[in-house]
Amino acid sequence: MEKQENEMKEFLANIVNVIRGMDYIKSEDVPNIDLYMDQVTTFMDEQLEGCKRHDVDKILTKTMINNYAKNNLLPSPDKKKYSKEHMLTLLFIYYFKNILSISDIQSILNPITERYFNGKDFNMEDIYDEIFKVEDIEAGKFFKDIAKKYKQAQETFTDFPEEDQKMLHTYSFICMLSFDVYVKKMVIERLIDTMGENADHPAESDAKEE
């Protein structure tokens, strides 16, 4: 039992270190001056280094960014220069693209950029700050949930051969995490579909608001 508890503490400590290394970019850390493409990719590579799984992985390439602009996912740069709001929008795209399709990201992000990109009262920086100000609270919940699932995984396969249990515990833990991701992804996709249904019937939506 003591060995199991020590292994759990060591595992969770490693997870904490990984998550801290992936700490989100604060809006005040994003340059307030317009940047050229090379400066954009350099900034993203430096700031999101901790998010890489392998050293050779690319964060955001020139081709990716150009495609985002061509597909109207990212507002076009002004004279080949990207503003702070461009950078914050790119960060949203980066976080979304690991779990959602480009078309789904468009469904989520386009209404936001159309309304708030270079907005007068509120802009993309306000949106970004509002989303991430609850980061510490959510991080605490995340660690508790991970610890709970890890403990549950260690309690599975008790009747199986002892030499296989470590492998099976890891498999059980991965399955628990995967199911959690699957369900949340399904909920996100249903929300996106609902947004599309509402967009198809603007008159009906307006009538309800009135």
Side-chain angles (χ1 to χ4, degrees):
M1 179 64 71
E2 183 178 351
K3 180 182 178 182
Q4 181 178 327
E5 289 180 356
N6 288 335
E7 286 180 351
M8 184 171 74
K9 288 179 181 178
E10 183 180 352
F11 171 81
L12 293 176
N14 289 334
I15 291 294
V16 169
N17 289 334
V18 170
I19 298 301
R20 284 176 178 167
M22 294 170 57
D23 192 21
Y24 82 97
I25 301 172
K26 296 176 176 60
S27 62
E28 57 263 31
D29 295 333
V30 178
N32 269 316
I33 58 173
D34 293 349
L35 304 176
Y36 286 107
M37 177 71 83
D38 286 340
Q39 295 171 306
V40 171
T41 55
T42 297
F43 176 83
M44 293 296 185
D45 282 341
E46 291 174 351
Q47 295 295 319
L48 295 170
E49 177 72 25
C51 295
K52 289 183 177 181
R53 183 179 180 185
H54 305 293
D55 291 339
V56 295
D57 291 345
K58 299 294 183 181
I59 299 296
L60 287 170
T61 66
K62 295 178 183 179
T63 301
M64 289 178 191
I65 296 172
N66 283 329
N67 285 337
Y68 297 153
K70 287 179 182 177
N71 292 319
N72 298 317
L73 188 56
L74 178 73
S76 298
D78 183 17
K79 298 177 181 177
K80 296 185 178 182
K81 298 184 82 173
Y82 296 82
S83 67
K84 183 173 185 174
E85 289 195 273
H86 280 107
M87 301 288 283
L88 296 173
T89 304
L90 278 170
L91 286 170
F92 277 126
I93 294 171
Y94 175 77
Y95 293 129
F96 282 138
K97 76 184 183 73
N98 291 294
I99 57 170
L100 297 175
S101 67
I102 293 298
S103 61
D104 279 344
I105 299 174
Q106 286 175 324
S107 298
I108 300 169
L109 202 52
N110 283 4
I112 302 296
T113 55
E114 287 170 7
R115 188 172 180 85
Y116 294 106
F117 198 91
N118 290 330
K120 293 181 180 179
D121 296 323
F122 298 99
N123 57 30
M124 291 303 293
E125 185 170 359
D126 297 310
I127 297 291
Y128 188 88
D129 287 340
E130 186 72 16
I131 293 296
F132 286 102
K133 73 180 183 181
V134 294
E135 181 222 10
D136 290 338
I137 297 173
E138 291 304 310
K141 293 178 182 177
F142 170 79
F143 291 131
K144 288 180 181 178
D145 184 58
I146 289 290
K148 179 182 177 182
K149 285 183 170 61
Y150 185 83
K151 186 174 184 298
Q152 289 175 334
Q154 302 309 303
E155 296 169 352
T156 59
F157 296 106
T158 53
D159 295 332
F160 281 67
E162 186 175 350
E163 63 270 21
D164 292 340
Q165 287 193 12
K166 186 173 183 179
M167 173 189 67
L168 292 169
H169 290 162
T170 300
Y171 180 72
S172 177
F173 188 43
I174 290 172
C175 287
M176 289 181 188
L177 294 174
S178 298
F179 180 73
D180 189 49
V181 172
Y182 170 75
V183 171
K184 288 177 180 176
K185 185 173 184 288
M186 188 170 60
V187 171
I188 292 170
E189 290 171 344
R190 180 56 192 148
L191 286 170
I192 293 170
D193 293 341
T194 302
M195 289 170 62
E197 291 167 5
N198 292 339
D200 289 339
H201 305 285
E204 182 179 336
S205 177
D206 290 343
K208 287 181 180 179
E209 289 179 3
E210 292 174 0

